[in-house]
Amino acid sequence: MNRVLHRFRTLPIRTRLSLLVAAAVAFAVAAVSVTCWFIVQGKLYDQVDGDLQKIVQRPGQDMAIQQAVRNCNENPQSSTGLLRNDSYLEVLQANGKVCVHSDSVGKINVAGSDKDVIKSGSAGEIYFHNGSDEDGNALRVATVPLFAEGSSTPDAALLIALPLKNTQSTLNELALILLLVSGVGVIGAGAAGLAVARAGLRPIDKLTEAVEHVARTEDLSVRIPVEEDAEDEVARLSRSFNSMNSSLANSRELQQQLIADAGHELRTPLTSLRTNIELLARSEETGRPIPEADRKALLASVKAQMTELASLIGDLQELSRSEGQRGERVQVVSLEDTLEAALRRARLRGPELTIDADLHPWYVRAEPAALERAVVNILDNAVKFSPEGGSIEVRLTPDGVLTVRDHGPGIPEDELPHVFDRFWRSPSARSGRRRGGGRPRGCRGRGRGRADGRRGAARARKRRPLGGAVRALRGVFDDPVARRGPT
C-alpha cells in the first residue's frame, strides 16, 4: 500500500488530478447505479408478489387446495386447468408431508421459513421469500397459513410460487447497461479531468518554464504576464515570482554596484600606498636618502593608508554579511571620541581641506564599529565632494545632534530621497563628476539608521543660499546612562 501511495505521489499533478476526478466520478456513478439496481429489483419483486397475491385470492383456490390434499401427490400429474401454466402450488402439512397439485409446474423446495409459518403464522397474512424448485430454478414463493375449522393455529401451509427467470434476466440486463454507462462516464470524467487539469495548470507550466529558464540562463528579466484583476492562487504565485525576480535583479544590480564602489574606494589608498612605497624603494635603490622628516611623513602616510585599507576591507566584510550575522554587543559609546577618531581619518584623506570641529560630550548605546563606520562615511562624503581648499564644519550639539556641512555642489533635489538607500550612489558621482551624492555606507533605510540597538534618525539636505550639503545624524535615546555616560 505504501508503494502505491508513493507511486501516486510521484505522478505529475495533472495525472493525479485526472485520477482523482475519475475515482470520484466512479464512486458516485457506482453508488447511483447500485441504488438504481436495488430500486428496480424491489419494484420487480413487488410486481411478482402482486401476481402471487392475485393467485392466492383467486376464486376457486379452495378447490385447488382440497384437490392437492385429497390426491397428495409428491410430484405434478396431468393438468386440470385450475392453475397458470407457469405457477407452482403445493400444500405443506404440519407433519412435514408435501402435497403437490397436479397442475403445478414442479415441486417447490420447502424452506425453514415455510415450516415456521405453520408454527406461528397469522390468519390472512401472506409471507414472501425467494426459493427454488427441484431443478434449481429460482422462484418467488408466497406462503399462506391454513387453518382448520374452529382452530386458532395453522395445521398446514399453502405454497404458491412463480419463476424469477424473466425478472432476473431483466435485472442482469439492467446491471450490464449500468456497468457500460458507468464505464463511459468514468472514462469521460477522466478525460474531462485531464483537460481541466491541463487548462488549469497551464500557468504553472509557464511558471515552471520561466524558473527553468532563469536557472539555466540566470536571466532575471523574465516576467510572467498576470492580469491585474486576477486574484486566484496561480495569479498570486505568478506575482510572487515576478516580485522575487525583481528583488533578485535589484540585488544583483546592487552587488555589481557594490563591487564597482569597492574598486573605486580601494583604488585611492592603494594608489597612495604604492606611490609612497615606490618613493621609499627608489631612495634605497639610488642611494639618495630622503630627509628624516619626509621619511617619517612617508612612513606615517603608509601606515595611515594601510589602516584605511584595512578599514575599507572591514566595511566590505560587514556589508557582505546578512542582517542576522551582523553586530557586536551594544554598549555605551562616547560619540565625541568616535568623532575624534573619524576626524583624524578624514584629515588624512583631505589634507588640503580645513575641517572645523565643535564637539560636546554625548554618549549613546551603540555598536562601536557600526557607529564609527556611519560617522566616517558621513565625513568621507563631505571630504570627497568638497572643492580644493574648501572647509567642512562638524558640530556635535549638547543635545546629541551631529551635523556635517561641506561647500561642494550639494545634492540634487531628485536624489535626496535616495541618499540613505542601501548601496545607492549618485549617477553623477559614478560618471566621475564630484558631487555630494555619495551614500554613507553604514546607514540603512530612508532617513533612518540602526548603528545601535535603538532607533536614530539621519537626513541630508541641500542648502541653496550658500551651496554644499548638510548631513545630520540624531541619536534618540531614553536611557539616562546613554546621556551622561558610564560612571
Side-chain angles (χ1 to χ4, degrees), residues 241-260:
F241 173 80
N242 292 339
S243 177
M244 180 190 67
N245 244 18
S246 299
S247 299
L248 290 175
N250 292 336
S251 177
R252 174 181 288 181
E253 182 180 356
L254 291 176
Q255 289 177 0
Q256 293 173 349
Q257 292 177 5
L258 175 62
I259 293 172

Side-chain angles (χ1 to χ4, degrees), residues 26-203:
F27 178 79
V29 170
V32 172
S33 299
V34 170
T35 303
C36 177
W37 188 88
F38 277 106
I39 291 175
V40 172
Q41 183 194 46
K43 293 295 182 182
L44 292 176
Y45 277 16
D46 289 342
Q47 184 178 354
V48 175
D49 292 347
D51 293 340
L52 289 172
Q53 190 172 3
K54 289 179 181 179
I55 295 174
V56 171
Q57 297 174 352
R58 184 179 61 179
Q61 190 64 40
D62 292 342
M63 185 183 298
I65 296 173
Q66 292 174 4
Q67 181 181 354
V69 173
R70 183 174 59 249
N71 297 331
C72 199
N73 301 316
E74 294 185 359
N75 293 298
Q77 302 297 322
S78 59
S79 176
T80 61
L82 293 178
L83 300 178
R84 285 175 45 171
N85 56 5
D86 61 343
S87 62
Y88 296 73
L89 188 149
E90 63 188 34
V91 176
L92 174 62
Q93 298 180 0
N95 57 10
K97 186 176 181 179
V98 177
C99 299
V100 180
H101 194 277
S102 58
D103 287 350
S104 178
V105 176
K107 184 178 180 181
I108 304 171
N109 291 328
V110 177
S113 58
D114 299 326
K115 297 178 181 179
D116 292 338
V117 171
I118 299 177
K119 296 178 181 179
S120 58
S122 302
E125 293 291 335
I126 302 177
Y127 302 92
F128 300 95
H129 66 87
N130 291 337
S132 61
D133 61 11
E134 290 182 327
D135 298 330
N137 297 317
L139 303 175
R140 183 65 172 172
V141 181
T143 306
V144 181
L146 300 176
F147 295 84
E149 291 184 6
S151 175
S152 60
T153 58
D155 56 358
L158 173 65
L159 277 65
I160 299 176
L162 290 175
L164 291 176
K165 181 178 180 181
N166 293 334
T167 301
Q168 291 183 341
S169 176
T170 301
L171 291 175
N172 291 337
E173 291 177 359
L174 177 62
L176 180 61
I177 293 173
L178 291 175
L179 182 61
L180 293 176
V181 172
S182 301
V184 172
V186 170
I187 294 174
L194 182 60
V196 171
R198 285 179 176 175
L201 294 176
R202 191 171 293 116

